[in-house]
């Protein structure tokens, strides 16, 4: 499968615990995006990388959230001290390009449930 | 409140009918407009896009219309099939003269196709 992959697909955790999600983009894509989607809503932008550089972060990305893309390939999204409000689908997308529009391809998402 | 977000617009059609899904966008400076299809438990899937300097674009069984005067976007699906049943989201990308990073999604529409 040459699409965007995410791991795990589902995560159930207790409030206060830390969780980490992984995203593997399409291999030649230099841009990688993280979005969050709650029930009945469209995805909301969190952050994106161009190669290793994190170029933009949403105000939704509180201090408890951190994202990395150390080698410009896969990315991780960590949530520290999870809260029930963090329960959502976390989507990763990737695209080619630097300064122009290119289609973003989405992965299947990681569904987080915080008890 | 939270309950408002759960009440997505719905469209119910018979197999073989044409479907029209509408979207009002907010940013008159956006350069690209995109339609995504999202099936239950999956990430959004690209359908078609249109640039702000166009008013119509056709794909296979789909047509996107853009009316910049009233900031309205529509997706027409010809000969709708049961496999078209999903939630459809419009999204905006890029402001002319800036980097094309995040997508901003609109409210989704639930399409149900009856055999």
């Amino acid at each position: 499968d040459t699409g965007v992959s995410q791991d795990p697909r589902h995560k159930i955790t207790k409030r206060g615990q830390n969780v980490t999600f992984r995203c593997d983009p399409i291999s030649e894509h230099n841009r990688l995006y993280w979005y969050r989607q709650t029930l009945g809503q469209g995805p909301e932008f969190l952050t994106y990388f161009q190669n290793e550089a994190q170029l933009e972060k949403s105000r939704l990305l509180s201090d408890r959230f951190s994202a990395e893309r150390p080698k410009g390939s896969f990315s991780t999204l960590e949530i520290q001290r999870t809260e029930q409000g963090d329960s959502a689908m976390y989507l990763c997308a990737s695209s080619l390009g630097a300064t122009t529009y290119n289609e973003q391809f989405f992965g299947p998402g990681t569904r987080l449930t915080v008890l | 409140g939270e309950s408002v977000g759960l009440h997505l617009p719905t469209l119910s059609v018979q197999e073989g009918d044409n479907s029209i899904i509408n979207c009002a966008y907010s940013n008159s400076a956006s350069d690209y407009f995109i339609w995504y299809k999202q099936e239950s438990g999956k990430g959004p899937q690209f359908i078609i896009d249109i640039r702000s300097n166009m008013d119509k674009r056709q794909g296979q069984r789909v047509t996107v219309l853009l009316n910049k005067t009233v900031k309205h976007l529509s997706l027409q699906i010809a000969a709708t099939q049961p496999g078209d049943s999903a939630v459809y989201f419009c999204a905006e990308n890029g402001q002319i003269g800036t980097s094309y990073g995040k997508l901003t999604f609109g409210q989704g529409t639930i399409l149900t196709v009856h055999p």
Side-chain angles (χ1 to χ4, degrees), chain A:
Chain A
D1 188 347
T2 57
V4 178
S5 62
Q6 292 186 246
D7 184 70
R9 294 293 308 278
H10 303 272
K11 178 70 177 179
I12 300 173
T13 191
K14 293 182 179 179
R15 188 178 54 181
Q17 297 295 305
N18 299 341
V19 294
T20 300
F21 309 141
R22 176 179 170 126
C23 171
D24 286 89
I26 294 171
S27 60
E28 66 270 25
H29 285 184
N30 58 335
R31 283 195 167 182
L32 186 148
Y33 311 80
W34 286 99
Y35 294 84
R36 181 172 69 186
Q37 186 176 28
T38 54
L39 187 64
Q41 302 290 329
E44 295 175 293
F45 171 78
L46 293 177
T47 188
Y48 87 95
F49 294 84
Q50 184 163 302
N51 301 313
E52 304 89 354
Q54 189 172 18
L55 294 190
E56 186 175 352
K57 292 194 294 185
S58 163
R59 283 172 288 183
L60 292 175
L61 213 66
S62 75
D63 291 345
R64 298 184 297 105
F65 288 70
S66 63
E68 295 182 343
R69 194 183 184 199
K71 298 182 180 178
S73 56
F74 73 92
S75 175
T76 58
L77 177 68
E78 181 183 17
I79 310 173
Q80 296 183 326
R81 305 180 303 281
T82 52
E83 302 173 356
Q84 288 185 327
D86 297 330
S87 294
M89 176 77 85
Y90 289 84
L91 293 162
C92 176
S94 70
S95 74
L96 288 168
T99 58
T100 60
Y101 164 76
N102 281 280
E103 177 186 341
Q104 293 186 23
F105 295 81
F106 282 81
T110 294
R111 181 165 294 284
L112 173 65
T113 302
V114 182
L115 302 176

Side-chain angles (χ1 to χ4, degrees), chain B residues 32-100:
Chain B
Y32 280 89
F33 302 89
I34 310 104
W35 282 100
Y36 280 90
K37 171 187 179 183
Q38 188 172 27
E39 297 173 286
S40 181
K42 296 184 178 180
Q45 177 186 1
F46 173 90
I47 301 173
I48 191 168
D49 57 28
I50 187 168
R51 195 167 188 184
S52 58
N53 60 357
M54 302 172 65
D55 53 22
K56 180 179 180 179
R57 190 172 185 210
Q58 289 185 292
Q60 187 176 16
R61 279 201 311 120
V62 295
T63 300
V64 56
L65 299 177
L66 176 62
N67 185 331
K68 292 183 289 295
T69 302
V70 294
K71 293 195 285 188
H72 183 268
L73 190 68
S74 69
L75 177 70
Q76 301 177 0
I77 306 174
T80 317
Q81 303 167 0
D84 296 326
S85 295
V87 180
Y88 288 79
F89 292 97
C90 63
E92 307 168 50
N93 183 238
Q95 297 186 37
I96 299 170
T98 68
S99 171
Y100 293 82

Side-chain angles (χ1 to χ4, degrees), chain B residues 7-40:
Chain B
H7 296 160
L8 293 178
T10 60
L11 176 64
S12 185
V13 301
Q14 291 295 126
E15 182 177 2
D17 287 351
N18 296 333
S19 302
I20 300 176
I21 300 170
N22 297 303
C23 173
Y25 64 90
S26 56
N27 189 347
S28 57
S30 291
D31 197 17
Y32 280 89
F33 302 89
I34 310 104
W35 282 100
Y36 280 90
K37 171 187 179 183
Q38 188 172 27
E39 297 173 286
S40 181

